[in-house]
Amino acid sequence: MVFKHRDAPYTSGRPASGGTQRKYKFIKSADVMIVENAGNAYRMVVWDGRQLFEVGRVFAGTTNASRRDLDDRLAGGERPVAEVRYLYATDDHQLFQPVFVGVRTDKPAADCVRAQLVSTDRKVIT
């Protein structure tokens, strides 16, 4: 969403930082389980009742150490819980533009449920 000063004139193109317009993204957060290293990203799942439901993939390459930690946990049979931020969940409950925040050692895997995902109505309001 773009906000601008009420008395500012319309200008086409991208607004300059520090200008009269501000872009704001409504970012959500979710706890997911990481179940597999899928190359350059990790597969994320949540519980949907008693079944695991895939919600997409997230790149977790902020550092080699964090990737090594996740890979070691997965190799040991763990399903680490991770916090991810995302813009919205699509109609089929896939996370759009997920960003890895970090591993959550304070959350049980049972808290990673599909009901926490927030879908966004992307209709244009005029």
Side-chain angles (χ1 to χ4, degrees):
M1 181 170 282
V2 177
F3 298 93
K4 71 179 192 85
H5 293 288
R6 188 176 292 220
D7 57 348
Y10 172 79
T11 54
S12 63
R14 285 186 87 125
S17 80
T20 60
Q21 300 179 21
R22 299 279 186 263
K23 184 176 183 179
Y24 182 79
K25 290 185 177 186
F26 295 91
I27 298 173
K28 289 108 179 128
S29 177
D31 296 319
V32 299
M33 286 180 287
I34 305 294
V35 293
E36 176 188 16
N37 182 338
N40 65 349
Y42 291 91
R43 241 174 23 103
M44 305 177 290
V45 298
V46 294
W47 288 108
D48 183 20
R50 293 182 176 197
Q51 294 184 341
L52 290 175
F53 184 85
E54 186 170 345
V55 293
R57 296 174 185 204
V58 65
F59 179 71
T62 53
T63 65
N64 287 337
S66 67
R67 289 184 62 84
R68 197 170 19 261
D69 177 52
L70 277 175
D71 290 339
D72 290 346
R73 289 172 185 259
L74 291 170
E78 255 186 87
R79 288 183 177 160
V81 174
E83 179 183 359
V84 294
R85 293 189 183 130
Y86 62 100
L87 288 182
Y88 59 87
T90 62
D91 291 339
D92 57 347
H93 302 285
Q94 299 298 295
L95 301 186
F96 185 75
Q97 293 185 358
V99 175
F100 181 82
V101 176
V103 173
R104 299 286 308 258
T105 57
D106 61 331
K107 289 273 189 159
D111 287 352
C112 301
V113 294
R114 188 164 138 178
Q116 72 179 316
L117 303 181
V118 179
S119 297
T120 300
D121 184 357
R122 298 184 319 148
K123 294 178 185 169
V124 176
I125 302 170
T126 56

